[in-house]
Amino acid sequence: MSQELATRYPLVLVPGMLGFVRLLLYPYWYGIIPALRRGGAQVFAVQVSSLNSSEVRGEQLLARIQQILDSTGASRVNLIGHSQGALTARYAAAKRPDWVASVTSVAGPNHGSELADYLQRYSPAQSLRGRLLSALLRGIAALMSLMETGYRGPRLPVDVHASHQSLTTEGVALFNRQYPQGLPETWGGQGAPEVNGVRYYSWSGILQPGKTDRGFNLLDGSNRSCRLFARTFVREAGQCDGMVGRYSSHLGQVIGDDYPLDHFDIVNQSLGLVGKGAEPIRLFLEQARRLKAAGL
């Protein structure tokens, strides 16, 4: 087996909101984990609460990291978080920098999501629309829990309101005041590449007419959802992946922020049906090479 991607520390993949390890036979990180393992990487996909605050999810992640360190004999891990998984990973790194070698944010709402802000304005928690949305999300989370075959741990708590608040601009601003590691000092800039011995990286995509709405995305309903969600963006109108803005995603060393990828394409969803010319798996392989070259 090739050792090209054999990083010093294990790779731990952290899913976003409504994330999972595997639903029946279907993985969240579609095609990504096998590609990394073929290159010699040691990879763990973890499960945290599908709907909850970034802090609660972060504590769950810390418990899982401890298990991984104990089982592998490794002294640290490299965290790669998608969407809210990036905030979850940032929390864990801030709390236990001695356990974490790096944090990579993949389309992470590191300054909040304008979609979450829109839902807060037009579907507040106590309104009829808000209650219906909350019930729908709880139902989806319950169904996903029944279908989950990649996680065999205790039942994880669900809190729809805490999950939503954790993704709003206001909610993330509060989070950032407590856990600022790797954040840019100026909007659209890059953050400190290393804080407390932890390396920080990020990449993200944007909807690009003629690319993200072409190729196999013509068959992917999630892309149409992202194009619809993108209409809620004001500050980063035309500069978002449907759920997270281009500059809101910045953390540490920004590898790229304008890949032709929507919010689901970036983790090779759904079923690898991505836009024209998009290569999301390549980005993960390149990051593993980058981490290995940095001695991580």
Side-chain angles (χ1 to χ4, degrees), residues 200-228:
Y200 288 87
Y201 304 88
S202 62
W203 77 75
S204 59
I206 58 174
L207 298 174
Q208 297 184 27
K211 291 185 178 180
T212 49
D213 57 357
R214 296 292 184 268
F216 289 114
N217 266 345
L218 291 171
L219 306 174
D220 186 3
S222 67
N223 178 257
R224 286 188 283 276
S225 297
C226 284
R227 300 202 317 258
L228 177 64

Side-chain angles (χ1 to χ4, degrees), residues 27-56:
Y28 184 92
W29 308 90
Y30 190 83
I32 293 168
I33 293 175
L36 287 166
R37 286 178 175 164
R38 282 193 295 271
Q42 189 174 28
V43 189
F44 296 88
V46 300
Q47 176 70 328
V48 291
S49 286
S50 59
L51 293 166
N52 218 311
S53 71
S54 298
E55 292 87 349
V56 167

Side-chain angles (χ1 to χ4, degrees), residues 240-274:
C240 72
D241 66 6
M243 293 189 175
V244 174
R246 175 179 182 176
Y247 299 125
S248 179
S249 73
H250 283 199
L251 182 76
Q253 178 185 342
V254 180
I255 296 163
D257 61 6
D258 61 350
Y259 294 108
L261 297 161
D262 68 37
H263 197 69
F264 299 102
D265 285 349
I266 209 158
V267 287
N268 207 37
Q269 294 290 347
S270 304
L271 288 167
L273 299 176
V274 298

Side-chain angles (χ1 to χ4, degrees), residues 103 180-186 189-196 198-202 250-254:
V103 170
Q181 293 86 345
L183 289 173
E185 292 185 3
T186 58
Q190 300 207 29
E194 183 173 334
V195 182
N196 296 332
V198 180
R199 291 280 307 189
Y200 288 87
Y201 304 88
S202 62
H250 283 199
L251 182 76
Q253 178 185 342
V254 180

